[in-house]
DNA sequence: CTAGGTTGCACAATCGATGGTGCACGCACA
DNA sequence: TGTGCGTGCACCATCGATTGTGCAACCTAG
């Protein structure tokens, strides 16, 4: 009420000022007061008082007592990729919509660090965890299981908990078909002209490779050749892979599939080292979406995973609290070259102060 | 010890198993045991026991008692911009290095939402807060002050708390000079050929405008013309601004300055609506860095704020706990076209499982 | 042999919210 | 007048860790 109250108000402060007991105040302010047969009059009085004093419950105390913290965790490998930062943004919005406080953390693609990170989330008694692209989902699962923490895999599946992932196989096939057809417009194409860079031994990469080969088979017939460079999720290693290819062949493949935007950055690094050189009519497909990537000086087809639907589904699965691990596939979107899609940014009401 | 302990171990469990009191266990495990004159032998015994049981302290309880939660907050306007996602990534690393748990939240450029968001962080008793690009830094400041929460502004200054920001004026001037010089290589240029898009009435935009005009003045002499479109931080409004300019002039400016990557996306949207049309030899400067943006089919000069140094300095300021608000300027970096800089990603040890 | 100091730890209050339980009061009914 | 029930609330233990304080037991010096 007065401008200067030094400490944050507690239910005890409100108890004194209202004449009611602390438990009554607590019940009123957490909504259980009808169940506890508090009169509407008392409730209103306390609610008003709470507003005057800008009371907000101490979440630590609440969590300690009720062992529900109101925290919702999202474990990411990294942040600074369009895919993961959009996921963080979307997760934040959806968690808040559910009255949860989002806590986003990064495991940096290191199984040990992932586990430690989740351990520390557990120490904060988070209520649920989304595991997005963990290197070792099942290792993380064990930590969650020990702590009795509801959790779900997003984007990369685990065997021990339910997962919501993109349909990597279909997406990769559609992407590969798209770049092949585009490249064919510039002249005949052989299977050797169609290459893949990036990926490693995880579920997403394996599925994409299957889709990639399925598309090639559909166009060229079965062909098992040397048509891939597995580079992990490292820009610099990907750049080296392009470098090697370039040294061997004197040019880049006419048409290639890049496994993620992180690997795509490797192509940029390669190109900046060869500035001035022209790379002919390459056609690129990238299993990821980035608006700037879509406008590069060569045709770039991209795949945008449906992040918002994946998260939505994830929350649903957690709510339904099924026991048997399920895998839900979400269809990603093929994005044509030079396309600037709308994103979470567009939902902001941004005021323009001068025009 | 045994595989199946259903609940997480507490100091009381360890107290029973070790024969020591709970307070002794607590002191041993939080490092204050020397001060409490616990014998090294007892300490070791308890530490061993804790490891066996994978004990980790309940942070809620610790926070409740000591009113230090170990949480470090970062308030962002949004996530999915290279600038802010890199900031999140860097903040996370630096907070962890200091033994804090990073909590990143987004205020969505809405003063009201910013305040509510910080209120809820306060409810979790966070120990410190970085405010990055708040729309209303001083409004947020008041919330922090009421809660006695140490905080600091990053990237956009406030009047009431210390701030660490980029040198927007110098950066904008360098950027403007760079694009003008580049454009001059293609033929003579007048002041009217040099335009600015984006920004609104905040400190960063104002400083950048000053730098922009300073550079123009240096090249063309003083000239106060109609050379700006203020569009806020909205891609769609920026796209409209380009559209309007294009309708009036039949082309884009030879040379223009875009206030941020969010506005840059507006240019992409404009371009995707005019696909096939060629926009001549435009030269673009963007006050933000995005690796894909750097490789677009026209020269793009970019400015990369030194995020890691800003955060580092921010932590230092918080540690030094000065009272008078200070403003620290950090020099940003001019990035030439077609440059793929390394980022936090490169610090990850990514294993390649197959080559 | 005792006063005084040190060592090594236990005890108990406390942080703020929650929720089970108990109890006084009022009213209706027999 | 006594019994029974519904209403409206207060009391108190509890969550797990922290921390000020107290106190045996032992040692040392005089």
């Amino acid at each position: 009420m007065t401008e200067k109250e030094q400490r944050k108000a507690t239910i005890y402060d409100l108890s004194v000022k209202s004449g009611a007991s602390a438990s009554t105040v607590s019940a009123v302010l957490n909504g259980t007061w009808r169940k506890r047969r508090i009169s509407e009059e008392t409730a209103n009085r306390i609610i008003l008082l709470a507003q005057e004093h800008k009371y907000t419950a101490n979440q630590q105390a609440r969590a300690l007592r009720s062992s529900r913290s109101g925290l919702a965790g999202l474990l990411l490998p990294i942040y600074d990729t369009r895919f993961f930062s959009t996921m963080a943004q979307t997760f934040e919005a959806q968690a808040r919509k559910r009255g949860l406080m989002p806590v986003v953390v990064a495991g940096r693609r290191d199984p040990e660090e992932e586990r430690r990170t989740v351990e520390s989330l557990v120490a904060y008694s988070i209520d649920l965890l989304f595991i997005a692209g963990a290197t070792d989902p099942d290792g993380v699962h064990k930590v969650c299981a020990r702590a009795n923490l509801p959790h779900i895999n997003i984007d990369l599946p685990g065997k021990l908990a339910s997962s919501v992932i993109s349909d990597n196989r279909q997406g990769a096939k559609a992407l590969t078909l798209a770049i092949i057809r585009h490249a064919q417009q510039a002249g005949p194409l052989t299977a050797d002209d169609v290459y893949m860079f990036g990926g490693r031994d995880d579920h997403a990469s394996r599925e994409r490779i299957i889709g990639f080969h399925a598309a090639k088979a559909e166009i060229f017939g079965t062909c098992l050749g040397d048509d891939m460079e597995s580079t992990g999720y490292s820009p610099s290693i990907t750049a080296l892979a392009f470098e090697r290819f370039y040294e061997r062949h004197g040019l880049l493949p006419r048409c290639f599939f890049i496994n993620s935007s992180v690997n795509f950055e490797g192509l940029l690094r390669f190109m900046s080292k060869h500035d001035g050189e022209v790379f002919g009519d390459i056609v690129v497909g990238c299993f990821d979406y980035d608006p700037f990537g879509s406008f590069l000086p060569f045709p770039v087809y991209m795949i945008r995973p449906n992040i918002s639907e994946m998260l939505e589904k994830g929350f649903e699965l957690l709510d339904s609290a099924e026991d048997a691990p399920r895998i839900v596939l979400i269809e990603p979107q093929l994005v044509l070259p030079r396309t600037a899609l709308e994103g979470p940014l567009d939902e902001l009401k941004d005021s323009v102060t001068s025009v």
Side-chain angles (χ1 to χ4, degrees), chain A:
Chain A
M1 203 166 179
T2 49
E3 227 1 290
K4 278 296 140 208
E5 306 164 34
Q6 211 40 316
R7 297 261 30 87
K8 282 204 60 181
T10 71
I11 51 170
Y12 298 100
D13 303 333
L14 298 184
S15 159
V16 170
K17 306 224 180 202
S18 70
S21 75
S23 63
T24 298
V25 173
S26 169
V28 166
L29 294 174
N30 69 29
T32 60
W33 55 279
R34 289 185 188 285
K35 212 167 56 193
R36 293 177 82 79
R37 297 184 320 217
I38 309 292
S39 73
E40 192 137 3
E41 194 198 313
T42 308
N44 286 333
R45 192 159 35 89
I46 291 175
I47 289 173
L48 223 65
L49 208 60
Q51 286 171 349
E52 280 174 13
H53 290 269
K54 294 183 193 295
Y55 168 85
T56 52
N58 180 321
Q59 296 296 329
Q60 318 284 353
R62 178 206 288 269
L64 178 57
R65 181 58 229 256
S66 62
S67 58
R68 292 196 54 257
S69 64
L71 296 171
L74 170 64
L75 176 68
L76 255 37
I78 52 174
Y79 285 92
D80 63 347
T81 259
R82 190 71 175 210
F83 174 61
F84 289 117
S85 59
T86 300
M87 180 171 299
Q89 175 104 1
T90 309
F91 176 74
E92 145 126 18
Q94 296 198 9
R96 280 183 185 288
K97 210 170 60 192
R98 289 169 167 78
L100 296 166
M101 168 70 93
V103 180
V104 184
V105 294
R108 302 161 62 86
R109 298 202 198 282
D110 176 344
E112 179 52 34
E113 193 157 347
E114 283 168 0
R115 251 171 283 133
R116 272 207 318 274
T117 302
V118 173
E119 291 279 16
S120 60
L121 285 176
V122 166
Y124 283 99
S125 326
I126 60 171
D127 293 339
L128 55 87
L129 177 65
F130 280 66
I131 304 162
T135 297
D136 176 20
D138 292 338
V140 174
H141 165 84
K142 281 193 197 114
V143 177
C144 295
R146 261 178 33 90
N148 226 325
L149 168 60
H151 58 291
I152 204 155
N153 295 298
I154 300 286
D155 192 47
L156 262 189
K159 279 180 285 298
L160 306 174
S162 283
S163 309
V164 184
I165 61 178
S166 284
D167 188 338
N168 286 294
R169 191 182 296 195
Q170 282 307 316
K173 186 175 173 192
L175 182 62
T176 309
L177 289 175
I179 57 176
I180 290 177
R181 295 212 175 100
H182 190 119
Q184 281 177 329
Q185 292 168 14
L189 202 73
T190 74
D192 290 340
D193 294 324
V194 184
Y195 220 78
M196 179 163 179
F197 292 89
R200 69 167 163 204
D201 190 29
D202 58 23
H203 181 275
S205 299
R206 282 192 299 269
E207 285 292 304
R208 290 173 194 174
I209 291 170
I210 294 175
F212 171 72
H213 281 138
K216 285 185 71 172
E218 193 169 312
I219 304 264
F220 305 112
T222 43
C223 50
L224 284 170
D226 168 32
D227 60 357
M228 326 220 0
E229 284 267 9
S230 181
T231 63
Y233 290 105
S234 150
S236 58
I237 296 179
T238 310
L240 283 179
F242 282 111
E243 202 63 67
R244 268 207 305 276
F245 189 100
Y246 187 65
E247 274 171 21
R248 278 209 298 273
H249 302 82
L251 76 181
L252 291 183
R254 289 263 309 278
C255 176
F256 52 94
F257 181 122
I258 302 182
N259 193 50
S260 83
S261 70
V262 172
N263 299 297
F264 204 167
E265 286 196 42
L267 176 60
L268 299 184
R269 294 193 188 177
F270 166 80
M271 287 183 160
S272 71
K273 281 215 184 117
H274 295 265
D275 216 7
E277 302 174 41
V278 182
F279 293 102
D281 294 327
I282 59 174
V283 178
V284 174
C286 176
F287 205 107
D288 236 341
Y289 171 68
D290 181 288
F292 294 102
S294 181
F295 281 81
L296 293 184
F298 40 83
V300 179
Y301 287 79
M302 307 195 99
I303 291 283
R304 179 161 79 160
N306 192 331
I307 294 173
S308 144
E309 198 182 329
M310 286 199 290
L311 291 176
E312 207 73 79
K313 257 280 176 264
F315 275 110
E316 277 176 31
L317 281 182
L318 284 177
D319 287 344
S320 74
E322 295 200 20
D323 30 2
R326 290 179 48 195
I327 293 196
V328 177
L329 282 187
I330 303 286
E331 217 52 48
Q333 176 188 5
L334 178 66
V335 182
L336 302 184
R338 304 179 64 78
T339 306
L341 294 175
E342 300 208 340
L345 287 186
D346 291 279
E347 283 156 25
L348 307 187
K349 40 174 173 173
D350 192 319
S351 60
V352 184
T353 48
S354 58
V355 178

